[in-house]
Amino acid sequence: MFKKVLIAEDYPSASISVRKILEEDLQIKLSDTDYVYDCDTALGRIKKALRDGEPYELLITDLSFDEEANHTPSIDNGRDLISAAKASQSDIKVLVFSVENKASIARELVNNLGINAYVPKGRRDMQDLKEAIADIYKGRTFLSKNLRQEERTYDFTELDKAIIQLLATGKKQKEIPDCLKKMRLKDVGLSSVEKRLHQMRSALDCSNNPQLIAYCKERNII
Amino acid sequence: MFKKVLIAEDYPSASISVRKILEEDLQIKLSDTDYVYDCDTALGRIKKALRDGEPYELLITDLSFDEEANHTPSIDNGRDLISAAKASQSDIKVLVFSVENKASIARELVNNLGINAYVPKGRRDMQDLKEAIADIYKGRTFLSKNLRQEERTYDFTELDKAIIQLLATGKKQKEIPDCLKKMRLKDVGLSSVEKRLHQMRSALDCSNNPQLIAYCKERNII
DNA sequence: TTAGGCCTTACGGTTTCCCGTAAAAAACCC
DNA sequence: GGGTTTTTTACGGGAAACCGTAAGGCCTAA
């Protein structure tokens, strides 16, 4: 089993549980330096361990970290922490433990960042954590069974999202072509904007723009 | 200190941490029946303990519970659990432990349900839990210091929210007076709907309805 | 009772949105 | 190159939203 594991999690209540699993159920010894509450410290520990010749084998991290009151960290989220960690030590295994319960996010992290497991906080989280760590140790990838598949019926292009964004900030459709041009995103006419909006609305069965905005906000598309 | 405490929390990772605090830091003994993963079981335990002449002194509960795959519970959220518990045993103390980090929610629960403490999951949660339980024991009410004050610049009436809701489901303004009438909510003319929308937009500095919807969705007002 | 607020409603004009159709441009395929 | 399809754009009519102003109802106080 793993000998050296680092936990990056800013909520003590969650951190404690993970520690408990590792120590009591998996018999992994943790020292006081093996769990941290922010990304910067986490990266520091990983680099130091590497220098000392005792690199971490596994990083267990949350995705979102609350902003801190005093200083602004250079890394403020789990995604960037994972990238930075892999840049320093490409063979480190990564388990993400987050409230975000979306299969698409998990898939994306596996594909683009090469994480080894995704466990959403939820009804089966402790069980999942145990299985996930065991799977990683065997060289396998673990995705929790209760990741929620979202019923996305339309896939938004970057242009679509940009248009929705602008609408949500109060821009009029008529102004949107100009805005897009200024943002160096795309050079399209008003009719194209209308067309895309129409396409989105009919695909998602929205009768007008306000409903479309509501839909997108609800699913965190924007 | 408290002798008999019940924990209602559906995420094992959170439940374990709370148990740890109670047992290790506060020296409160818990049996296997003192923590449960759904509201119905929680209420059952409270009633049984009352019948047996050993009533619970403190209920620690989450607010949101994930829907379960198999059966649909008769109580599916912490709010209703608290109401039901107080109906059975009016002197039970209640501590709410939830991810919701809004001072307004905490205040509302203190005022309307008479809860004794509110601790948001977050950076200081374990510390807060300890303090909160101690405070409750002394007969005081505890509100975590890091509850986020929201910068609400407008307070939405029920009518306002209903109008926004309807707009977000694709209704036209023109149809809204009829809808409100059918919902037995209010009997208002179209002009009043327009006026309320105008008031909300100008108060929140939104230039049109889509932006207003985005604003409300973003802050979970609807 | 009457005058003055305050709120709601009615209504008209302007702007924006929505949805067609048709022309123009671009891409594609021999 | 010519010819076809697809995409993009332009434009116009009708619907909805937006924004005034004026008129009506209701309460209060003199």
Side-chain angles (χ1 to χ4, degrees):
Chain A
M1 183 45 70
F2 292 114
K3 295 268 184 302
K4 220 167 146 49
V5 179
L6 180 66
I7 301 167
E9 164 65 64
D10 61 341
Y11 288 10
S13 62
S15 180
I16 285 178
S17 302
V18 177
R19 263 133 65 188
K20 194 175 151 81
I21 285 279
L22 293 180
E23 295 183 324
E24 296 182 14
D25 294 317
L26 302 173
Q27 306 288 336
I28 299 173
K29 284 232 182 337
L30 294 175
S31 76
D32 283 352
T33 56
D34 291 338
Y35 53 92
V36 299
Y37 298 98
D38 66 286
C39 297
D40 287 342
T41 314
L43 185 60
R45 293 277 156 83
I46 290 171
K47 286 183 174 171
K48 180 172 189 319
L50 196 59
R51 279 199 308 274
D52 293 351
E54 286 195 346
Y56 280 104
E57 302 163 90
L58 174 64
L59 165 66
I60 299 178
T61 180
D62 195 355
L63 283 182
S64 69
F65 287 76
D66 281 359
E67 66 283 0
E68 293 175 77
N70 305 331
H71 64 302
T72 58
S74 64
I75 304 180
D76 65 350
N77 67 80
R79 234 195 112 86
D80 293 345
L81 170 60
I82 296 168
S83 303
K86 291 237 170 191
S88 296
Q89 178 188 341
S90 62
D91 70 336
I92 194 168
K93 307 284 187 183
V94 177
L95 184 158
V96 172
F97 183 51
S98 165
V99 282
E100 285 288 353
N101 185 340
K102 289 183 192 163
S104 58
I105 292 186
R107 263 197 309 271
E108 193 268 336
L109 290 173
V110 169
N111 295 335
N112 298 340
L113 288 184
I115 71 168
N116 306 94
Y118 192 101
V119 176
K121 291 172 184 170
R123 284 195 171 276
R124 303 169 11 97
D125 52 11
M126 291 292 96
Q127 224 170 310
D128 274 356
L129 274 179
K130 270 187 274 186
E131 290 180 33
I133 294 170
D135 272 12
I136 297 175
Y137 193 67
K138 292 181 206 144
R140 303 185 51 223
T141 297
F142 177 92
L143 285 183
S144 169
K145 271 77 193 164
N146 61 334
L147 279 168
R148 202 163 289 153
Q149 299 291 344
E150 51 258 61
E151 27 45 69
R152 179 75 47 79
T153 165
Y154 178 82
D155 51 296
F156 295 81
T157 66
E158 286 310 306
L159 176 60
D160 289 333
K161 289 186 206 168
I163 292 173
I164 298 285
Q165 290 270 19
L166 290 170
L167 260 189
T169 60
K171 292 278 184 298
K172 300 169 198 164
Q173 300 187 179
K174 193 196 300 186
E175 303 171 329
I176 289 183
D178 277 348
C179 295
L180 289 171
K181 195 181 298 181
K182 275 174 198 152
M183 296 160 63
R184 308 268 165 86
L185 241 168
K186 210 73 187 292
D187 199 353
V188 292
L190 172 59
S191 325
S192 289
V193 171
E194 288 177 337
K195 185 180 170 186
R196 298 229 62 78
L197 281 169
H198 175 77
Q199 212 162 316
M200 289 189 261
R201 282 197 306 266
S202 58
L204 300 172
D205 207 35
C206 292
S207 66
N208 53 19
N209 282 347
Q211 188 179 9
L212 179 61
I213 298 289
Y215 178 95
C216 292
K217 273 287 178 187
E218 185 136 343
R219 337 247 139 157
N220 291 315
I221 290 159
I222 53 169
Chain B
M1 185 42 73
F2 291 114
K3 295 267 183 302
K4 220 166 145 52
V5 179
L6 180 67
I7 301 167
E9 164 66 62
D10 61 342
Y11 289 11
S13 62
S15 180
I16 285 178
S17 302
V18 177
R19 264 135 64 190
K20 194 177 152 82
I21 285 277
L22 292 181
E23 295 184 323
E24 297 183 13
D25 294 317
L26 302 173
Q27 306 289 334
I28 298 174
K29 284 231 182 338
L30 294 175
S31 74
D32 284 352
T33 56
D34 291 338
Y35 52 91
V36 299
Y37 296 99
D38 66 286
C39 297
D40 288 341
T41 313
L43 185 60
R45 292 277 155 84
I46 290 172
K47 287 183 175 172
K48 179 171 189 320
L50 196 59
R51 278 200 307 276
D52 293 350
E54 285 194 346
Y56 280 104
E57 302 163 90
L58 175 64
L59 165 66
I60 299 178
T61 181
D62 196 354
L63 283 183
S64 69
F65 288 76
D66 282 359
E67 66 282 1
E68 293 175 77
N70 305 331
H71 64 302
T72 58
S74 63
I75 305 181
D76 65 351
N77 67 79
R79 235 196 111 86
D80 293 345
L81 170 60
I82 295 167
S83 302
K86 291 239 169 191
S88 295
Q89 179 188 341
S90 62
D91 71 336
I92 194 169
K93 306 284 188 185
V94 178
L95 184 159
V96 171
F97 183 51
S98 165
V99 281
E100 285 288 352
N101 185 340
K102 289 182 192 165
S104 58
I105 292 186
R107 263 197 308 272
E108 193 268 336
L109 290 172
V110 169
N111 295 333
N112 298 341
L113 288 183
I115 70 167
N116 307 94
Y118 192 100
V119 176
K121 291 171 185 171
R123 283 195 171 276
R124 303 169 12 96
D125 52 12
M126 291 293 95
Q127 226 169 309
D128 274 356
L129 273 180
K130 270 187 272 185
E131 290 180 34
I133 294 170
D135 273 11
I136 297 176
Y137 192 67
K138 293 182 204 145
R140 303 185 52 224
T141 297
F142 178 92
L143 286 183
S144 169
K145 272 75 192 163
N146 62 335
L147 280 167
R148 203 163 288 153
Q149 298 293 342
E150 50 257 61
E151 28 45 63
R152 178 76 47 80
T153 166
Y154 178 82
D155 50 297
F156 294 81
T157 66
E158 286 310 307
L159 177 60
D160 289 333
K161 289 187 208 166
I163 292 173
I164 299 285
Q165 290 269 18
L166 290 170
L167 260 188
T169 60
K171 291 278 184 297
K172 301 169 196 163
Q173 300 188 181
K174 193 197 300 187
E175 304 170 330
I176 289 182
D178 278 347
C179 295
L180 289 172
K181 195 182 301 184
K182 276 176 199 150
M183 296 161 64
R184 308 269 164 87
L185 240 168
K186 210 69 185 294
D187 198 355
V188 293
L190 173 59
S191 323
S192 288
V193 171
E194 288 178 338
K195 186 181 167 185
R196 298 229 61 80
L197 281 170
H198 176 76
Q199 212 162 318
M200 289 189 262
R201 283 196 305 265
S202 58
L204 300 172
D205 209 35
C206 292
S207 66
N208 53 19
N209 282 345
Q211 189 179 9
L212 179 62
I213 299 290
Y215 179 95
C216 291
K217 275 286 180 190
E218 185 136 342
R219 338 244 141 162
N220 291 315
I221 289 160
I222 54 168

